[in-house]
Every structure is written in C-alpha cells, then in structure tokens.
C-alpha cells in the first residue's frame, strides 16, 4: 500500500519469545494505529499513537507495548508471545478526510 | 466505543447484478462513516465515505446510503465484477475519535 509498509510480512515464533513488528510510513501523518484481525472479531485496536512518544491503549492492549521515536515508525512489541496472539496484524495511518490507510499486514504465528 | 455490526456475514451475487451490503451502527452521535474492501491477503482498502450531513454519496459503481433515523448504512455495488469479491467492512467515527469496525461481510461474485 502506498505510503505505508509493514515488516515482516510473515513470522513464526515460539511461545515466550519477544517479537517486534514494524510499521513505516512516508506520509508524515500524525496518527498511527495497530490492529489485530481474527475470524469473528474483525479489526480490534491494540494501541495507537497521536505523535512522537505519544501513545495510548486500545481495546486489546494486554501483552503488547508500542513505541514511536520517529514520526515515520511505529513499533509493536509482543513482550512474551502466546498462542492467543497468533493473528494478522495491521498498521494504519490517519491523515485528514479519508479515514485510515492500512498496511498489507503481518501474519504472526506463535507455536 | 460503540460497536458497528453487519446484518449478513456472507452474500453471493451473480456477475453483472447489483449488490447491497448493509450495516447497522449503534452510536447515534457518529458523524463519519466509511466502507472498506479487503481482498484475501491484503489490508482493508478505502472505498467510499459519507458524513452525517448527507444521505447519499456516489462513487464509481458504488453508492453509500445513510439512514440516520434507523442508524443504518448500506453499500450498493452496481454491475458487479469478479474483482468485487472480497470482504466489506463498515466503520464509524464520532468527532475525530477512533474508527470502530464491523466484523465484515464476505461478498462472492458468481461468474
């Protein structure tokens, strides 16, 4: 997707290990979001950021932390991965007038 | 926040026919609504939006209708094509707060 990239696209990790997902934008948007998407639950907000070093929790933030040291990068860390965190993770950015622009997603499997 | 839901989880339409996807929202104060399309393995993609001061908005082959009285949103896709097969999400927002997403409707276009 133009202006927003997520890495890695796929990852398999073991239970108990830390994992960091990266979201990078080139749009200079202030707002950035991390969602997880699971069957039957749709998109659920994990954390979001409204500026450098300004972050807040979403509805499913337990077990996750985020950091934003630069406007363009928003990192999501699973402190100690569990099987319940197996999901597809989407980053989104928000400018003005057109809702959110989403990245292509990261498929994370915790074994 | 308030939840946004969809009436039908799946919908199959013959190619060339028109399709209608429905959405109910619960927050009467919501003032901005968006429809997203999500193809397999990709992130949600913006289709069309509408603000609460409008009842109808048209795009290319798509029309969004908003009925604030019954808190109902619909997406009409005209002359459906195979490429329209995807999951469609509605989302709502109140006063520049975070978007709330429905769980999605899977639209299948039958050749």
């Amino acid at each position: 997707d133009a202006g927003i990239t997520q890495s890695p696209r796929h990852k398999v990790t073991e239970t108990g290990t830390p994992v960091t997902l990266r979201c990078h934008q080139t749009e200079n948007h202030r707002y950035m979001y991390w969602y997880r998407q699971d069957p039957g639950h749709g998109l659920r907000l994990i954390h979001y950021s409204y500026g450098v070093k300004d972050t807040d929790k979403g509805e499913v933030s337990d077990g996750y932390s985020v950091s934003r040291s630069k406007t363009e990068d928003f990192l999501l860390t699973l402190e100690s991965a569990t099987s319940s965190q197996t999901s597809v993770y989407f980053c989104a950015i928000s400018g003005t007038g057109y809702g959110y622009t989403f990245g292509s997603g990261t498929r994370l499997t915790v074994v | 926040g308030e939840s946004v839901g969809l009436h039908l989880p799946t919908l199959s339409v013959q190619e060339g026919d028109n399709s209608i996807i429905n959405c109910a929202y619960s927050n009467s104060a919501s003032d901005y609504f968006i429809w997203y399309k999500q193809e397999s393995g990709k992130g949600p993609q913006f289709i069309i939006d509408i603000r609460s001061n409008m009842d109808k908005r048209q795009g290319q082959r798509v029309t969004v209708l908003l009925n604030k009285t019954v808190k109902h949103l619909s997406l009409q896709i005209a002359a459906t094509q195979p490429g329209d097969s995807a999951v469609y999400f509605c989302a709502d927002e109140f006063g520049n707060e975070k978007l709330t997403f429905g769980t999605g409707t899977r639209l299948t276009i039958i050749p």
Side-chain angles (χ1 to χ4, degrees):
Chain A
D1 296 90
I4 179 171
T5 55
Q6 291 184 233
S7 59
R9 289 298 312 276
H10 302 273
K11 186 169 181 65
V12 179
T13 192
E14 293 185 350
T15 299
T17 61
V19 178
T20 296
L21 309 183
R22 180 180 183 239
C23 179
H24 179 78
Q25 63 146 329
T26 57
E27 304 296 321
N28 200 36
H29 285 329
R30 178 182 176 188
Y31 291 89
M32 299 185 75
Y33 310 83
W34 276 108
Y35 285 87
R36 61 178 289 174
Q37 186 176 43
D38 305 287
H41 291 279
L43 288 160
R44 293 184 291 175
L45 182 65
I46 305 171
H47 281 279
Y48 66 101
S49 170
Y50 44 95
V52 173
K53 300 192 189 307
D54 291 324
T55 64
D56 206 349
K57 296 178 180 180
E59 60 181 306
V60 291
S61 60
D62 287 348
Y64 301 94
S65 62
V66 289
S67 66
R68 192 169 179 198
S69 59
K70 298 183 292 184
T71 298
E72 57 266 35
D73 290 323
F74 192 32
L75 304 180
L76 175 71
T77 297
L78 287 65
E79 295 144 7
S80 178
T82 67
S83 58
S84 65
Q85 294 176 312
T86 292
S87 186
V88 180
Y89 292 85
F90 287 100
C91 177
I93 59 176
S94 176
T96 55
Y98 292 98
Y100 299 179
T101 299
F102 285 86
S104 299
T106 294
R107 183 173 295 276
L108 177 68
T109 303
V110 183
V111 298
Chain B
E2 298 288 339
S3 63
V4 177
L6 295 170
H7 292 309
L8 297 173
T10 61
L11 178 65
S12 296
V13 175
Q14 204 73 35
E15 182 180 351
D17 287 352
N18 300 333
S19 67
I20 299 175
I21 301 172
N22 295 304
C23 175
Y25 64 95
S26 55
N27 185 358
S28 58
S30 291
D31 54 10
Y32 181 55
F33 305 86
I34 306 174
W35 280 101
Y36 284 93
K37 173 185 180 183
Q38 186 175 22
E39 297 176 273
S40 181
K42 298 183 179 180
Q45 180 183 16
F46 172 92
I47 302 174
I48 191 167
D49 61 356
I50 188 168
R51 299 202 176 268
S52 58
N53 61 349
M54 301 173 68
D55 297 322
K56 179 179 179 179
R57 190 164 188 221
Q58 289 184 292
Q60 187 175 14
R61 287 200 304 117
V62 294
T63 300
V64 55
L65 298 176
L66 176 63
N67 186 330
K68 296 180 287 295
T69 302
V70 295
K71 293 183 286 186
H72 184 268
L73 192 68
S74 67
L75 175 70
Q76 300 177 358
I77 304 174
T80 53
Q81 304 168 356
D84 294 329
S85 291
V87 175
Y88 291 82
F89 298 91
C90 65
D92 78 321
E93 180 183 88
F94 164 61
N96 293 322
E97 294 293 320
K98 299 174 291 301
L99 285 175
T100 301
F101 294 88
T103 54
T105 291
R106 181 174 300 280
L107 175 65
T108 301
I109 306 303
I110 304 168

